[in-house]
Amino acid sequence: MSRIEAQSHDRSPGPSDPSGPEAPPTLSIVVAAYNEEDVLDLFFARLEEVLSGIGESYEIVCVNDGSRDRTAEILAAARRRDPRIRVINLARNFGKELAMTAGLDHARGAAVVPLDADLQDPPELIADFVRLWREGYDVVYAVRNARDTDSWMKRTTAAAFYAMLNRVSNVEIPKNAGDFRLMDRRVIEALKGLRERNRFMKGLFSWVGFRQTSIEYERPRRAAGKTKFNYWKLWNFALDGITGYSTAPLRAATYFGLAFAVLAMFYGIFLLVRTVIFGTDVPGYASTMVAVIFMGGMQLLVLGIIGEYLGRLYSEAKQRPLYIVESALGFDDAEE
Ligand code: UDP
Ligand code: MG
């Protein structure tokens, strides 16, 4: 029996003395915030109301992802008000996936819930998460039942992306599910073992497995502030998703190459036969150019695909840390 299976699987906070100051809480809420000064006060007010209603011990791990507005001050002030709020300031903007990773690494709860700062992940759902977790599920994720708060463009591109990803990769990533979910400590420990630099957290969440279930909800609009994502960022995110979970594009290049080689061979035979029967003819400039340009384009495309993988391999090979913590509030080894 593996070590993980051998562990007891009750949903109590952990082995240490629950009255001690260092007892890990039952729930860790992890929030990545990048320039969220407009929404944070609203966020804490609503979250704290929901959490006190649930009645479990909790901590809120806030990761300030290199914000250039007053996010850091607001988080520090929130911590002075409530010591259950802990703050990690990253040294620069590392992007949501890495900010969330920093938060998951530092969370101590028996169950961990990543949450967006803009209240698009309604905290009220956490009560349902906890109930299903107590029933024995390791992962409870939220699925939005409609995407009508997203634009038509975002909806169609997202649907196409997930359809393709699930086809070409061997992890099943649930459609319309975001990062909003509850994960048992066992899942978090498993996730901590995945230190790849090009991260696509939704894929990693699925990759680790465990007993999963879902709840439907309606995703509201941002409570305040504006989105940090544009189509270019989403496109790069999609590339990380595809290249991180599948080498199908590399294989596709092989088949493209093969198909064109076969076509070229038949065309060559055709030209040979035609020359033998009808003699040489000068015209043929157009078809030559088409073939040259097309093949040139194909070769660049395939090189580009190889480059995507090579580039990722390069960034993994450097073994740099995933993120740099500039300062932290509420952690043993950090100054207050
Ligand atoms: N975020 C972050 N770093 C970034 C971009 C975003 O930590 O570089 C956080 C942001 O503060 C928010 C969450 O990620 O809490 C989701 O971002 P947003 O609401 O802008 O994305 P959308 O909901 O529009 O996809
Ligand atoms: Mg949002």
Side-chain angles (χ1 to χ4, degrees), residues 54-133:
I54 294 176
E56 303 281 1
S57 60
Y58 67 84
E59 64 173 1
I60 305 174
V61 179
C62 305
V63 184
N64 167 21
D65 188 15
S67 300
R68 278 180 292 262
D69 64 358
R70 293 183 47 254
T71 297
E73 288 98 273
I74 296 172
L75 292 179
R79 164 150 182 90
R80 280 194 294 276
R81 196 184 69 238
D82 182 351
R84 286 173 295 191
I85 296 175
R86 306 159 80 211
V87 182
I88 300 163
N89 290 302
L90 297 185
R92 63 169 170 85
N93 179 250
F94 281 88
K96 184 187 174 187
E97 307 297 295
L98 291 174
M100 193 158 59
T101 305
L104 297 180
D105 287 348
H106 289 83
R108 299 170 310 162
V112 180
V113 180
L115 209 59
D116 280 2
D118 58 7
L119 290 170
Q120 282 196 292
D121 302 330
E124 290 72 21
L125 237 60
I126 298 173
D128 298 311
F129 285 175
V130 171
R131 189 171 44 77
L132 285 164
W133 173 57

Side-chain angles (χ1 to χ4, degrees), residues 31-36 39 63-67 90 93-97 99-100 115-121 144 150 154 179 219 222 226-230 233-234:
V31 53
Y34 177 51
N35 296 342
E36 298 288 8
V39 80
V63 184
N64 167 21
D65 188 15
S67 300
L90 297 185
N93 179 250
F94 281 88
K96 184 187 174 187
E97 307 297 295
M100 193 158 59
L115 209 59
D116 280 2
D118 58 7
L119 290 170
Q120 282 196 292
D121 302 330
R144 54 184 104 165
D150 284 340
K154 194 160 176 184
D179 302 321
R219 190 165 170 85
R222 227 175 200 284
K226 51 180 190 302
T227 177
K228 311 297 179 293
F229 287 88
N230 53 34
K233 271 198 187 180
L234 287 173

